[in-house]
Amino acid sequence: MKVLSLFDGISCARVALDRSKHVVERYFASVIDKYAIQISRRNWSDIIHLGSVVDLDVTQPKFMDVELLIGGSPCQDLSIARGKAGRDGLKGERSGLFYEYIRILKEVKPKWFILENVASMSEESKNAITELMGVEPIMIDASLVSAQQRKRLFWT
């Protein structure tokens, strides 16, 4: 399977794919945090790091048969942790990177996609994402698989 992971972090999606016995032929990762990249490289030397999602040109032939697009754009402008005064939603500089996910989804046209973000976002932001994704989200609490209670929305 060819995978493109946006906002990849330390490549936790790769962990999930490996644990679920999916054979990963190629794993492209778009991430800019140098420490996350170091961890990812230490665990998987075959990951192809691409840099910033903003600069990503997915019209190149190597992306033509990507089967799975994964991502969770930054949540800082969506999260309730910011308080109402600091929540710029999808207009925010960081959370607005969600629109890069949409651009890439339209250009790559993968067989499958998964988008994840915080469940505490405003109804307005949730509705905007749902409309652009074309599917309703499901809510999953991370406490099902970890020691943390963190409610997340998944569009797939």
Side-chain angles (χ1 to χ4, degrees):
M1 173 184 299
K2 284 179 86 174
V3 179
L4 174 54
S5 179
L6 308 179
F7 318 103
D8 187 61
I10 61 171
S11 302
C12 289
R14 181 65 184 265
V15 173
L17 290 165
D18 288 353
R19 287 184 181 174
S20 64
K21 309 281 189 241
H22 283 83
V23 176
V24 177
E25 177 188 335
R26 277 203 147 156
Y27 188 99
F28 298 102
S30 177
V31 62
I32 59 172
D33 183 276
K34 67 180 182 178
Y35 300 110
I37 293 168
Q38 285 175 359
I39 292 168
S40 178
R41 282 192 174 139
R42 188 172 302 130
N43 291 317
W44 297 279
S45 60
D46 63 329
I47 290 179
I48 302 161
H49 290 274
L50 305 168
S52 173
V53 68
V54 174
D55 302 322
L56 191 53
D57 176 10
V58 294
T59 62
Q60 297 174 47
K62 65 183 174 184
F63 297 113
M64 293 202 46
D65 54 350
V66 164
E67 296 170 273
L68 175 62
L69 178 65
I70 300 173
S73 58
C75 67
Q76 291 94 328
D77 302 311
L78 296 169
S79 176
I80 198 167
R82 297 274 303 187
K84 288 192 179 197
R87 287 172 74 177
D88 295 327
L90 295 173
K91 295 178 184 121
E93 183 178 334
R94 292 165 292 197
S95 296
L97 290 170
F98 156 75
Y99 294 107
E100 292 296 324
Y101 183 98
I102 292 296
R103 172 185 67 85
I104 292 166
L105 177 65
K106 288 178 179 177
E107 291 176 0
V108 171
K109 297 181 179 85
K111 288 182 183 180
W112 305 285
F113 64 84
I114 301 171
L115 175 73
E116 171 273 333
N117 219 304
V118 295
S120 66
M121 70 178 67
S122 71
E123 198 66 25
E124 176 186 358
S125 293
K126 178 182 163 189
N127 291 339
I129 293 171
T130 298
E131 183 176 333
L132 288 166
M133 294 299 294
V135 294
E136 291 289 327
I138 58 169
M139 195 278 294
I140 299 175
D141 192 325
S143 66
L144 293 171
V145 294
S146 74
Q148 295 184 6
Q149 183 174 351
R150 300 178 81 189
K151 294 180 181 176
R152 294 290 185 260
L153 294 174
F154 291 83
W155 290 263
T156 187

